[in-house]
Amino acid sequence: MKTGLALLGCGTVGTAVAEMLLAEKELLQERSGQSLELKHILVRNRRRKRAVKVPSRLWTTNPSDIWADPTVDVVVELIGGLEPARTLALAALRAGKHLVTANKHLLAVHGAELFAAAMKARRAVCFEASCGGAIPIIMALTRGLVANDIQRVIGIVNGTCNYILTEMSASQRTYADALAEAQAAGYAEADPTLDVNGTDSAHKLAILAALAFGAKVSFSHIEVSGIHGLQDQDLKYGRELGYVCKLLAIAEKSDHGISLRVHPTFLDQKQLLANVNGAFNAISVSGHAAGQTIYYGRGAGPRPTASAVIADIVEASMGTAAMVFAGLPLLTRRKSMPIVPTRDILSRNYLRMTALDVPGVMHHITGILGQQGISIAAVVQHESSVGQYVPLVVITHEARDGAVTDAVKKIDRLRCIRGHTVRIRIMEP
Ligand code: HSE
């Protein structure tokens, strides 16, 4: 069967998708049974030099060429960001095309609107490439684990951050050098701030949690902190204490509702997730029947992402995407669930303060922690000259998140403390 395709955008991922569709046509036909015909590529500027060689008739700057072409069945949105991606995606659905998108930002913010438009048009929205790059995590959550009441999803879902943290730890690279390398390898977003401040991970968590729990999840429900405030010394102290730092996206269900958060986290170095390195992603999903399952693979980069985009194109082409989309409540008939505030979550914490090494400092700090009901498990301070500012690391026993937040605010107001306390939650196996 022949399926006509149009790409919207031809950046890093678009180029890889176009290349694979043209250069690997036979392999794709042999494996999927589908003949995938690239008909149009929508770009802003036709004259720009492109890394991929395609017949010049494919380039267009006019989206109406695509909507009006009855031979186009599937539109693949790879522009990224909110606009014009949202307007074009809605127009594609209204024109009766299936939509494939890798745009996690768009789905996290306007997913409900896109899904409603797709239902109305009796078409599908496919988004395997939006989370976890090449890892078929959307397929796992919607199909493989459909028999499960899912209790928890924990993911390393940003390749750029994981690459930076790995390089800083293993090769002692600086944060800036590691970020520049991640950008050069095509892992980072057009604006890498979205990677390092945790926003990209939160977009992906919104998508994963909605599927896992069949819940209406808004991106604004997620509490987010990124890796941009971390320093080499935090990773070093972590190593001294047997921990590895990862940016985790966490969604949990309890009797009180669901909790959603993204933050740097210390993991025991023996845990599986602690050993996910470089631009690789891993997502752990725990269900009542399956128990814990873990999915691992390349989470960023042009070809791994193109692999997932093409899997979606094949599903749309075969007709399975439309059946699953119309049939699964997890996608289109989600429940409202209460959100448990992060303040109520319990965890151990690493706190690094920059403290003046004079008599009484410890007394002030332990006093504030004590008032908030936070018990200290360990303290690390290396010897220095008296009267200097020194790093002081405190590990807490399990404490309420909000109590630690309030204590840190008070500690940072002490005259003997310089700058802001660095806080990293610790997740036990
Ligand atoms: N910027 C993203 C990352 C790309 O680094 O993981 C994949 O979504």
Side-chain angles (χ1 to χ4, degrees), residues 223 342-345 349 351 368-369 372 374 399-413 421 423 425:
E223 294 205 18
T342 301
R343 287 184 69 80
D344 294 341
I345 305 284
N349 292 265
L351 305 175
I368 291 173
L369 292 172
Q372 295 290 338
I374 301 163
R400 216 172 59 81
D401 206 274
V404 179
T405 305
D406 295 345
V408 165
K409 272 191 204 141
K410 285 189 185 158
I411 288 171
D412 286 353
R413 283 200 292 265
T421 296
R423 173 192 190 175
R425 276 87 167 177

Side-chain angles (χ1 to χ4, degrees), residues 104 129-130 157-161 187-189 195 200 204 281 299-300 305:
K104 50 267 164 131
S130 63
V157 287
N158 186 274
T160 301
C161 288
Y187 303 145
E189 296 302 295
D195 293 294
D200 179 77
K204 292 165 180 166
N281 282 190
T305 311

Side-chain angles (χ1 to χ4, degrees), residues 35 56 66 70 359 399:
S35 166
S56 63
I66 299 171

Side-chain angles (χ1 to χ4, degrees), residues 275-327:
N275 292 288
V276 173
N277 291 320
F280 279 82
N281 282 190
I283 301 145
S284 153
V285 183
S286 304
H288 82 297
Q292 188 187 22
T293 57
I294 298 192
Y295 308 85
Y296 169 83
R298 291 186 193 278
R303 277 175 69 83
T305 311
S307 159
V309 167
I310 292 175
D312 271 350
I313 293 174
V314 170
E315 290 279 316
S317 161
M318 288 197 303
T320 40
M323 282 193 306
V324 171
F325 193 78

Side-chain angles (χ1 to χ4, degrees), residues 187-210:
Y187 303 145
E189 296 302 295
D191 173 6
T193 320
L194 297 179
D195 293 294
V196 297
N197 71 10
T199 305
D200 179 77
S201 296
H203 289 150
K204 292 165 180 166
L205 187 67
I207 297 168
L208 297 174

Side-chain angles (χ1 to χ4, degrees), residues 156-168 227 244-248 273-282 296:
I156 295 172
V157 287
N158 186 274
T160 301
C161 288
N162 208 45
Y163 183 85
I164 294 172
L165 291 173
T166 305
E167 289 296 308
M168 282 172 75
I227 64 162
V244 175
C245 185
K246 296 290 173 196
L247 184 70
L248 293 190
L273 290 182
N275 292 288
V276 173
N277 291 320
F280 279 82
N281 282 190
Y296 169 83

